[in-house]
Amino acid sequence: MKRKNDLRQGVLWKQILLFALPIAATSMLQQLFNSADVAVVGRFSAHRELALAAVGSTTSIVNLYITIFTGLAVGANVVVARLIGAEEEEKAQRAVHTALVLSVIFGFAMMGIGECMAGPLLEWMDTPEDIIGLAKQYLQIFLLGAVFQMVYNFEAAILRANGDTRRPLTCLAFSGALNVVLNLIFVIFCGLEVAGVALATVIADGVGAGLLWYYLRRETGPIRVEPALLRMDRKLLGNLLYIGVPAAIQGMMFNIANVIIQSGINRLGSQVVAASTIGVTAEIFVYYLINSFGQASMTFTSQNYGAGNLHRCRSATRWCSLLEILSSEAFALLLVAFGLPFAALYTPEHAIALLAVTRMTWVLPFEIFNTIIEILSGTLRGLGYSFVPTILCAVFVCGLRIVWVAFVFPLMPTFQGLLLVYPASWVAAGAALIVAYWVLKKRMLTEKAPGMEGA
């Protein structure tokens, strides 16, 4: 019997677009709402340049946390999708409840670690003295919502594993709009400035997690949530961690490297920090489009691998690659073309806007190389090989960026000299993943992947 949202049959390219585009819209909408923090403090705070730079200086740390949340949730996506594909509904239901309990535990752990490490991390990044106090205030309030963000990402991953990418978009649209309204109220009317935008994010995250919980409680089939079943299955927990932890580590590697790059940007002064914050916002929009096809590749591969449809696994990877390259590069070039108006949305300072366009010009056109990393990482994880992309990205992304900041940047200590590290690391990691995929492809698509034994 054909299920609703069945990814195991149908026209692939249409299904991939219908799956990926809502994910991209969800992520971009989330970023748009999150960037409202930057826009509101940049335009309405009493000390707008300092407030803008303070919120911007936390971007790498905030992104580090977000990639940990989403990376850990990958385990839920892959395991639940594969069990649904194999029509093992009772195991899929146990995996759903195990994942939700795990999300709460991880959320509280990340909140505690973050509250203790916020100050030391900002100091280690050479955050300028005139903004470090405000940056710490923003970060510590933002991290109070870590539990909500973790639970939301696991809930969304469960829905996506079942082929549903539209309801996470609906929930995000509502909670994100609430975030913007609260930003304006807290900053303009309450005068809370940096603290206000952080508090608005925490409240909105709680609402978003609550809405997805509402949907999961009213689901039918294996992903329906029953509070009485919220317990951890030890075998399935192992499977979730086997896939999710390496994905989280890979995200951490990218963002630790970006934190190191941010420390180099911080040495160039508050204006460059503020401009880089705007440029990063544009890059994140493009990345989310890229990542949506990576998630599609992972989920389509997981369901079809569980069902034994190996040919469809290979076809999904090819279609995701083609669609991703065409759409993401067109979007990146469009943002470069309208770079100055885009930057002007975030700051009225022309000098900062021009510096932001510089970053966009030197980074965005090269995002095409990042598409290779996302698609092949997604495919490998869908097949159960989560450690392969993690190890390669640790070496060719994180390692190369650390070396660049330590040895290359001092030789050409300019904004442009630092930005070159992005395309260089993407090319290196992408080439390594292509080699790994072609070497392992025959084995991966003819044998049972590791990490699901005993489920």
Side-chain angles (χ1 to χ4, degrees):
M1 183 176 69
K2 190 179 187 301
R3 296 186 300 105
K4 181 182 179 182
N5 301 323
D6 193 342
L7 308 182
R8 299 168 298 177
Q9 51 188 307
V11 181
L12 258 176
W13 69 268
K14 289 182 180 179
Q15 287 184 306
I16 288 169
L17 285 176
L18 289 173
F19 184 93
L21 293 181
I23 295 179
T26 301
S27 300
M28 289 180 191
L29 192 60
Q30 185 173 30
Q31 180 57 33
L32 186 62
F33 290 137
N34 288 344
S35 67
D37 291 2
V38 178
V40 170
V41 296
R43 286 191 169 271
F44 300 110
S45 293
H47 308 92
R48 61 191 183 190
E49 185 174 325
L50 290 178
L52 174 63
V55 175
S57 68
T58 69
T59 299
S60 296
I61 299 175
V62 169
N63 287 341
L64 172 61
Y65 262 77
I66 290 172
T67 53
I68 293 173
F69 299 151
T70 56
L72 291 170
V74 162
N77 185 302
V78 170
V79 173
V80 174
R82 190 177 302 171
L83 291 171
I84 288 173
E87 298 186 351
E88 298 186 61
E89 294 198 357
E90 190 273 334
K91 288 182 181 178
Q93 187 179 54
R94 283 191 281 125
V96 166
H97 290 84
T98 298
L100 290 174
V101 175
L102 185 63
S103 71
V104 174
I105 295 171
F106 274 139
F108 276 110
M110 295 298 294
M111 181 178 69
I113 294 169
E115 294 295 338
C116 295
M117 293 299 296
L121 274 174
L122 290 167
E123 292 174 5
W124 177 73
M125 290 169 58
D126 295 325
T127 305
E129 290 185 9
D130 56 347
I131 62 173
I132 192 169
L134 290 172
K136 182 179 178 182
Q137 182 186 54
Y138 175 85
L139 198 56
Q140 288 185 324
I141 296 173
F142 170 86
L143 290 170
L144 293 175
V147 176
F148 299 138
Q149 292 194 40
M150 186 72 80
V151 171
Y152 173 87
N153 277 285
F154 272 74
E155 290 169 333
I158 290 165
L159 285 166
R160 288 166 183 162
N162 198 41
D164 182 358
T165 60
R166 295 182 183 180
R167 281 184 291 182
L169 174 59
T170 303
C171 290
L172 198 279
F174 182 83
S175 63
L178 176 65
N179 185 21
V180 173
V181 172
L182 292 176
N183 276 340
L184 295 170
I185 292 173
F186 290 154
V187 174
I188 298 174
F189 298 106
C190 300
L192 294 178
E193 299 193 355
V194 167
V197 294
L199 181 60
T201 299
V202 173
I203 295 171
D205 288 339
V207 170
L211 287 172
L212 284 186
W213 174 265
Y214 172 86
Y215 281 132
L216 287 171
R217 285 285 290 119
R218 282 150 184 79
E219 261 292 337
T220 57
I223 68 167
R224 177 182 171 85
V225 172
E226 297 288 352
L229 300 179
L230 286 170
R231 63 180 67 90
M232 288 204 284
D233 181 294
R234 292 178 61 184
K235 291 180 179 179
L236 287 167
L237 174 63
N239 293 327
L240 290 166
L241 294 176
Y242 185 91
I243 302 295
V245 170
I249 292 172
Q250 181 173 332
M252 287 174 62
M253 291 293 179
F254 270 95
N255 283 279
I256 288 171
N258 288 340
V259 168
I260 292 169
I261 294 171
Q262 183 66 42
S263 69
I265 290 171
N266 289 345
R267 296 172 210 166
L268 299 174
S270 296
Q271 268 204 340
V272 174
V273 172
S276 186
T277 300
I278 297 168
V280 167
T281 301
E283 292 160 31
I284 290 173
F285 281 128
V286 176
Y287 170 75
Y288 282 142
L289 180 58
I290 293 171
N291 178 258
S292 70
F293 286 98
Q295 293 223 21
S297 180
M298 179 177 66
T299 307
F300 275 75
T301 298
S302 298
Q303 269 204 24
N304 285 284
Y305 199 43
N309 297 335
L310 304 184
H311 174 73
R312 192 169 171 87
C313 291
R314 292 189 290 267
S315 297
T317 299
R318 289 194 294 268
W319 272 113
C320 285
S321 300
L322 177 61
L323 294 170
E324 180 184 56
I325 289 171
L326 292 174
S327 59
S328 63
E329 188 65 9
F331 186 40
L333 294 176
L334 185 67
L335 281 172
V336 172
F338 292 93
L340 202 55
F342 179 88
L345 294 174
Y346 297 91
T347 179
E349 306 294 333
H350 188 64
I352 293 176
L354 286 175
L355 284 169
V357 172
T358 297
R359 172 159 184 144
M360 294 166 67
T361 303
W362 282 72
V363 175
L364 286 177
F366 302 101
E367 289 273 7
I368 190 171
F369 299 110
N370 199 15
T371 64
I372 299 168
I373 298 173
E374 290 298 318
I375 291 294
L376 294 185
S377 292
T379 295
L380 290 167
R381 289 203 171 89
L383 295 167
Y385 286 82
S386 198
F387 280 99
V388 174
T390 298
I391 293 169
L392 293 178
C393 287
V395 174
F396 293 101
V397 175
C398 189
L400 192 150
R401 290 181 183 183
I402 291 171
V403 170
W404 192 285
V405 173
F407 299 105
V408 179
F409 179 51
L411 299 178
M412 40 183 192
T414 63
F415 196 24
Q416 293 89 335
L418 190 58
L419 296 176
L420 281 172
V421 70
Y422 289 104
S425 58
W426 289 333
V427 170
L433 278 165
I434 289 172
V435 172
Y437 176 72
W438 284 106
V439 168
L440 297 173
K441 185 172 69 169
K442 183 176 180 180
R443 175 187 172 189
M444 289 186 296
L445 296 179
T446 55
E447 299 179 1
K448 181 175 177 61
M452 288 297 291
E453 290 81 357

